Amino acid sequence: MVSFCEISTFFFFLTILHFRCLAEGPDDLTKGFISLPLNRSNYNIQRPYDVPEDQRYSFINGVHKCWVYSTDKPHTPTSQTKPRTEIAIHGYEYSSGIWQFEGYGYVPKGTSGVCIMQVFGATPPHATTLMLRVYNGSLMYYRSKVLVPEVYDKWFKLNVIHDVGASKVRVYIDGSLKLEANGRGGTSHAFKCGVYAQNNDSQCMESRWKDLKVLKKL
């Protein structure tokens, strides 16, 4: 028969373990990954082709700000896509391995009908493996699943892990797993973030980003 003292000791250690976990926070999603150098030479700003960069993008005090209007031109004269201002990471395109995007995002109220982050590349007819979109304040996986019901006007930490070999992509918000989805094939992939108009887009679309990282599994 278990004594009262033994039960008390058991719950005491459970309490200690609980508070230790709270103090340590969630598992480090970047453990086992190497963070690759990321500076202006590793990305370009895709923006409406007929306006200067500083009219759709700024980088001030460590914060990238991207905005675009629903009436804007696409990013090239020959493109048939909708308007965008995206930070397109290059030099780290990949076709195998396990890769991760990390950053802090912010979407101001009123921005809607827009992709704010994508894993580019897939097997046709798809063009992307992942799109994170915002519709009326909800952060969504394309239009099929709500990941965060109210994302406006607050910073959130985003981690996207793409395991090419396993054909899986995982999305974490503030350290919590919000999505595990199948890959979509493709022979080359790259990360993008910013604003890229989708259906039912608002007149003005904006997102902000800081502490961007690209990581590769060792």
Side-chain angles (χ1 to χ4, degrees), residues 134-189:
V134 174
Y135 290 99
N136 300 316
S138 293
L139 181 65
M140 303 183 68
Y141 169 62
Y142 293 95
R143 294 210 71 169
S144 64
K145 179 179 175 63
V146 174
L147 307 185
V148 179
E150 179 51 66
V151 76
Y152 283 153
D153 296 337
K154 57 187 176 185
W155 286 100
F156 60 91
K157 185 178 182 181
L158 173 65
N159 293 79
V160 174
I161 300 176
H162 184 197
D163 186 335
V164 180
S167 192
K168 292 290 183 183
V169 60
R170 295 177 178 86
V171 176
Y172 297 81
I173 305 294
D174 294 328
S176 177
L177 179 63
K178 298 296 184 180
L179 174 76
E180 182 176 32
N182 292 327
R184 289 182 162 191
T187 57
S188 182
H189 303 280

Side-chain angles (χ1 to χ4, degrees), residues 25 66 68 95 103 146 174 203:
C66 303
V68 76
S95 58
V146 174
D174 294 328
Q203 191 271 332

Side-chain angles (χ1 to χ4, degrees), residues 24-190:
E24 293 176 351
D27 292 339
D28 182 3
L29 296 171
T30 64
K31 186 176 181 179
F33 287 78
I34 182 172
S35 183
L36 302 172
L38 188 64
N39 53 51
R40 189 55 203 259
S41 68
N42 303 114
Y43 65 86
N44 64 288
I45 307 302
Q46 295 182 340
R47 67 188 191 278
Y49 69 82
D50 60 339
V51 298
E53 182 176 289
D54 62 4
Q55 291 187 18
R56 295 294 184 272
Y57 167 82
S58 68
F59 182 61
I60 301 172
N61 296 327
V63 176
H64 304 267
K65 179 180 174 181
C66 303
W67 67 99
V68 76
Y69 299 96
S70 59
T71 54
D72 276 338
K73 298 284 199 272
H75 65 297
T76 69
T78 58
S79 174
Q80 300 300 309
T81 61
K82 299 192 78 172
R84 73 180 76 196
T85 302
E86 288 188 299
I87 301 168
I89 295 172
H90 61 81
Y92 296 131
E93 293 84 359
Y94 60 93
S95 58
S96 62
I98 304 175
W99 291 73
Q100 181 171 178
F101 171 94
E102 180 179 273
Y104 289 82
Y106 182 100
V107 182
K109 186 175 182 179
T111 291
S112 188
V114 64
C115 170
I116 63 167
M117 189 272 168
Q118 62 171 298
V119 178
F120 182 74
T123 298
H126 303 295
T128 61
T129 289
L130 172 76
M131 269 195 175
L132 298 181
R133 301 183 186 181
V134 174
Y135 290 99
N136 300 316
S138 293
L139 181 65
M140 303 183 68
Y141 169 62
Y142 293 95
R143 294 210 71 169
S144 64
K145 179 179 175 63
V146 174
L147 307 185
V148 179
E150 179 51 66
V151 76
Y152 283 153
D153 296 337
K154 57 187 176 185
W155 286 100
F156 60 91
K157 185 178 182 181
L158 173 65
N159 293 79
V160 174
I161 300 176
H162 184 197
D163 186 335
V164 180
S167 192
K168 292 290 183 183
V169 60
R170 295 177 178 86
V171 176
Y172 297 81
I173 305 294
D174 294 328
S176 177
L177 179 63
K178 298 296 184 180
L179 174 76
E180 182 176 32
N182 292 327
R184 289 182 162 191
T187 57
S188 182
H189 303 280

